[in-house]
Amino acid sequence: MTDGTQSRRAEALIARLDLTNLNDDCSEADVAALCGRAETPVGPIAAICIWPAFVGFARRELSARIKVATVVNFPLGADDIDATLAETHKAIADGADEIDLVVAYDRVAEDPGFVEAQVRTIRANCGHAKLKTILETGRLYDESTIRAACHAALAGGADFLKTSTGKVQVNATPASATILLEEIAKAGGTVGLKPAGGIRTFEDADGYLRLAETICGLDYPTPERFRLGVSGVLADLLAVATGTERPGGKAGY
C-alpha cells in the first residue's frame, strides 16, 4: 500500500469513527474534550458515543453533522425491557441520534426470541434514531451462538450489528466481525457493522474496513453503514492521514 493510499484510507476511517468515552469516571469536561476532537484536521468523525447523562450537553456542543450516540442497557445486557425503554425515551428526548443497545446476550442461546422481541420493542421506540445492537460477541463463545444473536437482532429490525461493549475481556475480533458481516450480507447488505473495542492502530482499523469491502462489497462501508467504536486510535489515523510521525505505544478503547 502506497503512502497516498494509506493516507486516503486513514481519512476514510476517521470519517467512520464513533469517538467513544464510556469510562466509569467520565465527566462533562471529558465529553467537552471529546467533542473538541470530533472536528479533525482532515474532517469530522461520524459520531461520538457517550453515557446517556451527557447526551443533551454533547448535542449542544457539536455541529449537526456529527451524530450523538449513546448506550442503553449497558454494559450487562439485562432483560428488564421497561428500564431499557425508559433509558431510550430519555436519550431520544435529550437529542440522541443513535442508540447503542446491549441485547440480553445471556439469553441468546436458550431464548433468541426474547432478544428479537427486545430489539423490536426498542426499535419501535427509537423514532428517527438509528438502533445499533451490541451482541457482546466475546461472551457468546461459539460461532453458532453469534449467528443466532445476529439473526435475532436482524429479525428485530436492528440498523447495525455491533460486536462489543468494550467492557469484557474479548471485544471486537476479525473472526467475530466476519460472522456479523456474513449475516448482514445474507440479509441483503443494508444493515451496518460496528466493531468496537481493541482497535489500536491504523492497521487494525483498516483490516475491518477491508473485511467489510470483501464480504459486503466495495460500496458497502459508507459512514452510514460502517463505524468503528474506538477513541484511542484517532491519533494514529491522523498521523497516517497527514504523513506525520505515528505515536508509539498502544491506543486505548
Side-chain angles (χ1 to χ4, degrees):
M1 189 186 299
T2 67
D3 289 346
T5 301
Q6 280 193 326
S7 175
R8 288 190 295 274
R9 289 186 72 84
E11 288 188 24
L13 289 162
I14 289 167
R16 289 156 176 79
L17 281 186
D18 281 8
L19 203 58
T20 300
N21 189 330
L22 295 169
N23 295 334
D24 292 339
D25 61 352
C26 182
S27 67
E28 190 172 280
D30 294 325
V31 174
L34 200 70
C35 292
R37 296 171 64 203
E39 294 279 1
T40 84
V42 298
I45 62 160
I48 66 166
C49 186
I50 51 173
W51 292 108
F54 302 115
V55 167
F57 171 77
R59 186 65 284 163
R60 293 189 296 272
E61 290 288 300
L62 290 168
S63 71
R65 64 180 180 167
I66 299 173
K67 306 298 185 184
V68 175
T70 194
V71 291
V72 299
N73 208 28
F74 187 94
L76 299 179
D79 56 11
D80 186 340
I81 192 64
D82 290 334
T84 307
L85 273 172
E87 285 185 302
T88 302
H89 290 152
K90 179 66 163 58
I92 297 296
D94 286 348
D97 301 295
E98 300 174 357
I99 300 294
D100 288 29
L101 161 73
V102 186
V103 304
Y105 55 85
D106 284 342
R107 297 188 64 160
V108 167
E110 299 300 326
D111 191 6
F114 178 88
V115 174
E116 178 182 337
Q118 180 188 40
V119 173
R120 182 177 291 111
T121 299
I122 301 304
R123 172 63 271 173
N125 285 269
C126 276
H128 69 278
K130 286 188 176 180
L131 178 62
K132 306 197 202 81
T133 49
I134 305 174
L135 307 184
E136 202 68 291
T137 53
R139 293 290 300 276
L140 298 180
Y141 302 117
D142 62 68
E143 180 178 334
S144 63
T145 309
I146 295 173
R147 291 191 189 276
C150 292
H151 297 162
L154 291 167
D159 297 304
F160 270 76
L161 300 183
K162 178 177 173 181
T163 59
S164 323
T165 61
K167 298 292 188 179
V168 296
Q169 186 173 2
V170 178
N171 294 291
T173 66
S176 62
T178 295
I179 296 169
L180 270 56
L181 284 164
E182 287 172 351
E183 296 303 328
I184 288 168
K186 290 176 189 176
T190 59
V191 171
L193 173 76
K194 181 178 173 180
I199 301 166
R200 306 187 184 284
T201 65
F202 162 76
E203 289 78 12
D204 291 340
D206 193 51
Y208 287 109
L209 182 60
R210 289 181 179 278
L211 272 179
E213 291 169 337
T214 299
I215 296 171
C216 290
L218 292 175
D219 61 347
Y220 166 79
T222 65
E224 290 72 38
R225 281 197 300 242
F226 179 85
R227 300 285 183 79
L228 296 164
V230 70
S231 57
V233 78
L234 178 58
D236 197 42
L237 294 181
L238 281 170
V240 174
T242 58
T244 55
E245 184 177 354
R246 296 172 67 177
K250 293 183 177 180
Y253 175 65

